Amino acid sequence: MTDTQIVQAYADAWTQSIEAVSELVAPLTEGEWNRPTECPGWSVRDVVSHVIAMETELLGDPRPIHTLPRDLRHVVDEFTRYCEVPVDKRRCHTAPEMTAELEYTIIRRSRALRDNTRYQPTDEIRWPMGPYSREIPYFHLLRNRTFDVWTHEQDLRRALRTPGNLDSPAAVVSRDNLIEMLPKAVAKLAGAPAGTAVVFDVHGPLEFMRTVRVDENGLGSVDSTVPLAPAVQLTTDWETYARLACGRIPVESADVKVEGDEALARRILENFAVTP
């Protein structure tokens, strides 16, 4: 695909996922907005608030001026504090206020994506991530937003017991995003030695097999060829893989089959989460 087609594909995937979020929460009662999710400390309302906050910041809206309570145990650093401010600000909002703001945000953001004439696919644009904010290519920003929205869509689906969209366009974008991060988890964070090959065998709605290889300099790369005798092979289903990679479940409760070097496998799984 051309760069322009890639941008359009990301925009379409983002649209499908964020509209799915809107459809999920539209019929909720006030009490259902308070259901806990797998995001530490966050309810359904909080997850939706975060999605709104990120999209409105990209639209250029000012961040709220708000003082956080001191007893929020899940606020542990500057990044979690950055994310928490617009979330806590909305904790007093009613269900109708939340759905109305989400719908209006989708309309505004969709229009901005559709009418974009300012940014070319490779133009640098600010990625709003608090202390981790930096300039990244426009197409990369759209991929990150698709991944984030789909991840939170799945948070909401699990909390509301409404499974779905595990093989949606946004799920495919998320899979590709997570696969790109595998070399860091294996080579850098888990410290797999030079010459190591680690195979990930994932089944379910999105199936794939990938091998991370560590070269003589300790650098990792990923490809789709599978060696006969890898140091480690990890087998799991796609939803479990995504939940682990997004830090949603502890290693101990994840259904992962381990073959090979168990100590290395443990280090990989303990360093598998790529999102806060």
Side-chain angles (χ1 to χ4, degrees):
M1 290 193 293
T2 66
D3 288 346
T4 300
Q5 289 171 325
I6 291 172
V7 165
Q8 188 59 54
Y10 289 157
D12 291 344
W14 172 90
T15 299
Q16 191 275 333
S17 190
I18 202 167
E19 287 182 348
V21 168
S22 183
E23 291 172 6
L24 276 171
V25 301
L28 298 184
T29 64
E30 198 68 50
E32 288 173 314
W33 282 86
N34 297 321
R35 282 192 187 180
T37 71
E38 290 180 346
C39 288
W42 279 7
S43 65
V44 167
R45 174 185 281 101
D46 297 337
V47 168
V48 175
S49 294
H50 170 71
V51 170
I52 292 171
M54 294 300 290
E55 299 299 339
T56 54
E57 187 164 352
L58 283 170
L59 285 164
D61 293 3
R63 282 175 55 81
I65 298 173
H66 179 68
T67 301
L68 291 177
R70 295 185 178 181
D71 59 349
L72 299 176
R73 284 193 241 176
H74 57 282
V75 177
V76 296
D77 54 25
E78 285 306 308
F79 178 70
T80 51
R81 181 173 297 278
Y82 162 81
C83 291
E84 192 70 21
V85 168
V87 167
D88 191 66
K89 179 75 171 178
R90 290 176 171 84
R91 287 200 167 108
C92 61
H93 290 195
T94 65
E97 288 173 328
M98 291 298 300
T99 54
E101 186 179 17
L102 176 61
E103 290 171 4
Y104 184 49
T105 299
I106 293 172
I107 290 170
R108 293 177 62 207
R109 190 79 176 107
S110 297
R111 183 184 299 127
L113 291 173
R114 185 178 62 250
D115 297 342
N116 171 58
T117 57
R118 181 177 179 184
Y119 300 111
Q120 296 300 312
T122 57
D123 286 352
E124 297 287 306
I125 183 173
R126 178 178 170 271
W127 181 26
M129 288 286 284
Y132 303 120
S133 292
R134 62 182 188 273
E135 299 290 314
I136 62 175
Y138 180 62
F139 79 92
H140 195 174
L141 177 86
L142 295 186
R143 185 180 72 169
N144 288 345
R145 289 308 309 138
T146 301
F147 169 52
D148 187 60
V149 171
W150 179 82
T151 299
H152 290 306
E153 177 196 340
Q154 294 304 312
D155 290 331
L156 296 172
R157 288 188 178 280
R158 288 190 291 272
L160 298 170
R161 301 178 183 87
T162 311
N165 278 351
L166 284 167
D167 57 353
S168 66
V172 174
V173 172
S174 300
R175 177 202 63 191
D176 294 346
N177 201 37
L178 292 173
I179 286 173
E180 279 191 17
M181 299 178 188
L182 283 176
K184 179 181 178 182
V186 173
K188 182 178 180 181
L189 300 179
T196 297
V198 177
V199 172
F200 296 84
D201 182 1
V202 179
H203 56 85
L206 287 183
E207 295 186 343
F208 58 93
M209 289 188 74
R210 294 292 187 276
T211 301
V212 174
R213 304 174 193 274
V214 183
D215 67 16
E216 64 276 9
N217 298 313
L219 299 177
S221 62
V222 62
D223 61 56
S224 58
T225 60
V226 180
L228 291 176
V232 173
Q233 179 163 320
L234 301 172
T235 303
T236 189
D237 64 278
W238 163 234
E239 185 173 15
T240 299
Y241 180 96
R243 291 169 76 194
L244 275 171
C246 296
R248 297 310 194 250
I249 50 173
V251 173
E252 293 76 14
S253 62
D255 184 11
V256 180
K257 179 183 177 183
V258 175
E259 297 175 83
D261 186 335
E262 293 190 1
L264 175 57
R266 180 74 186 186
R267 293 203 306 275
I268 293 169
L269 292 171
E270 288 175 345
N271 290 280
F272 202 60
V274 297
T275 64

Short mmCIF file of all heavy atoms in Angstrom, two decimals, residues 15 45 50 54 56 72 85 117 191:
data_model
loop_
_atom_site.label_atom_id
_atom_site.label_comp_id
_atom_site.label_asym_id
_atom_site.label_seq_id
_atom_site.Cartn_x
_atom_site.Cartn_y
_atom_site.Cartn_z
N THR A 15 -11.89 4.31 13.30
CA THR A 15 -13.31 4.66 13.26
C THR A 15 -14.17 3.48 13.68
O THR A 15 -15.10 3.62 14.50
CB THR A 15 -13.71 5.11 11.84
OG1 THR A 15 -12.94 6.26 11.49
CG2 THR A 15 -15.19 5.43 11.77
N ARG A 45 -16.43 4.04 33.09
CA ARG A 45 -16.45 5.50 32.88
C ARG A 45 -15.03 6.04 32.69
O ARG A 45 -14.78 6.89 31.83
CB ARG A 45 -17.12 6.19 34.07
CG ARG A 45 -17.04 7.73 34.00
CD ARG A 45 -17.61 8.40 35.24
NE ARG A 45 -19.07 8.43 35.18
CZ ARG A 45 -19.89 7.59 35.83
NH1 ARG A 45 -19.35 6.63 36.58
NH2 ARG A 45 -21.19 7.69 35.72
N HIS A 50 -10.72 8.42 29.36
CA HIS A 50 -9.36 8.44 28.81
C HIS A 50 -9.38 8.52 27.29
O HIS A 50 -8.61 9.29 26.69
CB HIS A 50 -8.61 7.19 29.27
CG HIS A 50 -7.30 6.99 28.58
ND1 HIS A 50 -6.20 7.80 28.83
CD2 HIS A 50 -6.90 6.08 27.65
CE1 HIS A 50 -5.18 7.39 28.09
NE2 HIS A 50 -5.58 6.36 27.35
N MET A 54 -7.74 11.71 25.18
CA MET A 54 -6.65 11.61 24.21
C MET A 54 -7.06 12.19 22.86
O MET A 54 -6.27 12.90 22.21
CB MET A 54 -6.24 10.14 24.04
CG MET A 54 -5.61 9.53 25.28
SD MET A 54 -4.11 10.37 25.83
CE MET A 54 -2.97 9.90 24.53
N THR A 56 -9.47 14.46 22.25
CA THR A 56 -9.68 15.91 22.32
C THR A 56 -8.36 16.66 22.42
O THR A 56 -8.23 17.78 21.90
CB THR A 56 -10.60 16.28 23.49
OG1 THR A 56 -10.08 15.73 24.71
CG2 THR A 56 -12.01 15.78 23.28
N LEU A 72 -5.08 7.91 45.31
CA LEU A 72 -5.23 7.08 44.12
C LEU A 72 -3.98 6.19 43.98
O LEU A 72 -2.95 6.63 43.50
CB LEU A 72 -5.41 7.96 42.88
CG LEU A 72 -6.64 8.87 42.88
CD1 LEU A 72 -6.66 9.75 41.64
CD2 LEU A 72 -7.92 8.04 42.96
N VAL A 85 -5.51 12.85 35.27
CA VAL A 85 -6.14 14.16 35.47
C VAL A 85 -7.47 14.30 34.72
O VAL A 85 -8.51 14.60 35.32
CB VAL A 85 -5.16 15.30 35.11
CG1 VAL A 85 -5.90 16.64 35.03
CG2 VAL A 85 -4.05 15.39 36.16
N THR A 117 -5.73 18.18 5.51
CA THR A 117 -4.88 18.63 4.40
C THR A 117 -3.55 19.17 4.93
O THR A 117 -2.68 19.57 4.17
CB THR A 117 -5.57 19.75 3.59
OG1 THR A 117 -5.91 20.83 4.47
CG2 THR A 117 -6.83 19.23 2.91
N GLY A 191 16.73 -10.23 28.31
CA GLY A 191 18.15 -10.54 28.26
C GLY A 191 18.48 -11.88 27.64
O GLY A 191 19.43 -12.55 28.07
#
